[in-house]
Amino acid sequence: MKSAAWIARIVALAVLLLLLFKPQVFQPILAPLAENGAPALYDRASLLDLTLAHLAIVAGASLVGAVIALLAGIFVTREAGAEFLPLARSVVNIGQTFPPVVVLALAVPVVGFGVKPTLVALILYGLLPIFESTITGLKEIPSATIDAARGMGMSATRQLLAVELPLALPVILAGLRLSVVINLGTATIGSTVAAKGLGDVIIAGLQTSNTAFILQGGVIVGLLAVLIYDAMGIAGRLASRHVVDGAVQ
């Protein structure tokens, strides 16, 4: 089973690299999907450049969103912040309640077109998984472990950094993985407000009824989501094992 999983990863990565660096390989497959003599391969911009721009937006939004959600999750699990949990939960739910397109429409008049409204939409949309996973991870820590840390004379800050967060890390990372994958797909709508990314390819296909363009953009986004989710899972397991072992020692 493990060998099959690694073969699937290698195949997915190989297809992604070919799409980015040698897209002409797929010309025979995509040509029947382009009607009325339309080009089968997207040539208005480099697919590699669009992919890197797409990933940069996702990385920036995920980083900011992770910091906000993590700090908020920690705050509401402390005694001083417990009463703010309903309010914080309502705020982070905004991103899931309002579609990203609506957030974009509201953000454009304030921050203008381009990357900024896209970042706003992605940050709001990605808060919930990390916020909830932070709360769940911290609340699932056995009370006996917390009591032992206090009995050792740890301050509240040291207890949080040396015991609670390391033990909650696997759950927090699971929420982060989900948030990043959500943002990878959602970032495609950024092209509607002039944010450079893989949405350019998909929207160009929709505007010209070119299924080949839509397939190129969709496949690249899908492969990125699968590979990044998988890679984050592997890295998360390794990091969690290392951090938890350090906390135990």
Side-chain angles (χ1 to χ4, degrees), residues 117-215:
T118 307
L119 287 174
V120 171
L122 294 184
I123 289 169
L124 288 176
Y125 207 57
L127 286 175
L128 184 62
I130 306 172
F131 177 76
E132 292 294 347
S133 64
T134 300
I135 293 174
T136 301
L138 291 173
K139 287 188 173 182
E140 284 183 349
I141 298 173
S143 57
T145 302
I146 303 298
D147 292 338
R150 289 172 182 165
M152 294 171 62
M154 287 188 179
S155 64
T157 301
R158 187 182 175 195
Q159 174 185 305
L160 172 66
L161 297 177
V163 178
E164 294 183 67
L165 285 178
L167 293 177
L169 186 61
V171 181
I172 295 173
L173 289 177
L176 178 60
R177 289 171 71 198
L178 179 58
S179 179
V180 170
V181 170
I182 289 174
N183 281 344
L184 272 168
T186 308
T188 56
I189 66 170
S191 296
T192 61
V193 292
K196 184 179 178 182
L198 290 167
D200 291 3
V201 186
I202 297 173
I203 290 176
L206 292 172
Q207 291 175 336
T208 60
S209 299
N210 191 329
T211 307
F213 284 3
I214 298 173
L215 187 61

Side-chain angles (χ1 to χ4, degrees), residues 69-89 131 134-135 138-139:
L70 182 62
L71 292 177
I74 292 172
F75 177 67
V76 298
T77 56
R78 307 301 97 181
E79 186 176 348
E83 61 182 300
F84 294 98
L85 176 58
L87 174 61
R89 187 163 273 153
F131 177 76
T134 300
I135 293 174
L138 291 173
K139 287 188 173 182

Side-chain angles (χ1 to χ4, degrees), residues 3-249:
S3 59
W6 277 106
I7 291 173
R9 292 180 183 118
I10 293 171
V11 170
L13 180 59
V15 173
L16 177 61
L17 292 176
L18 286 173
L19 280 168
L20 296 181
F21 293 98
K22 295 288 184 181
Q24 59 270 22
V25 172
F26 299 95
Q27 171 78 28
I29 300 174
L30 296 172
L33 301 176
E35 301 177 355
N36 302 320
L41 299 176
Y42 186 81
D43 56 1
R44 300 180 187 179
S46 164
L47 288 176
L48 178 60
D49 290 344
L50 293 177
T51 299
L52 293 176
H54 192 94
L55 290 174
I57 293 175
V58 172
S62 299
L63 178 60
V64 174
V67 172
I68 294 172
L70 182 62
L71 292 177
I74 292 172
F75 177 67
V76 298
T77 56
R78 307 301 97 181
E79 186 176 348
E83 61 182 300
F84 294 98
L85 176 58
L87 174 61
R89 187 163 273 153
S90 297
V91 171
V92 300
N93 271 306
I94 289 177
Q96 301 290 329
T97 303
F98 292 97
V101 174
V102 175
V103 178
L104 282 176
L106 295 175
V108 165
V110 179
V111 299
F113 287 89
V115 173
K116 291 180 181 179
T118 307
L119 287 174
V120 171
L122 294 184
I123 289 169
L124 288 176
Y125 207 57
L127 286 175
L128 184 62
I130 306 172
F131 177 76
E132 292 294 347
S133 64
T134 300
I135 293 174
T136 301
L138 291 173
K139 287 188 173 182
E140 284 183 349
I141 298 173
S143 57
T145 302
I146 303 298
D147 292 338
R150 289 172 182 165
M152 294 171 62
M154 287 188 179
S155 64
T157 301
R158 187 182 175 195
Q159 174 185 305
L160 172 66
L161 297 177
V163 178
E164 294 183 67
L165 285 178
L167 293 177
L169 186 61
V171 181
I172 295 173
L173 289 177
L176 178 60
R177 289 171 71 198
L178 179 58
S179 179
V180 170
V181 170
I182 289 174
N183 281 344
L184 272 168
T186 308
T188 56
I189 66 170
S191 296
T192 61
V193 292
K196 184 179 178 182
L198 290 167
D200 291 3
V201 186
I202 297 173
I203 290 176
L206 292 172
Q207 291 175 336
T208 60
S209 299
N210 191 329
T211 307
F213 284 3
I214 298 173
L215 187 61
Q216 285 172 76
V219 169
I220 292 174
V221 172
L223 288 173
L224 285 173
V226 170
L227 289 170
I228 290 175
Y229 186 83
D230 189 53
M232 289 182 69
I234 295 172
R237 286 191 293 272
L238 293 175
S240 299
R241 190 180 308 158
H242 175 73
V243 173
V244 172
D245 289 345
V248 172
Q249 292 174 3

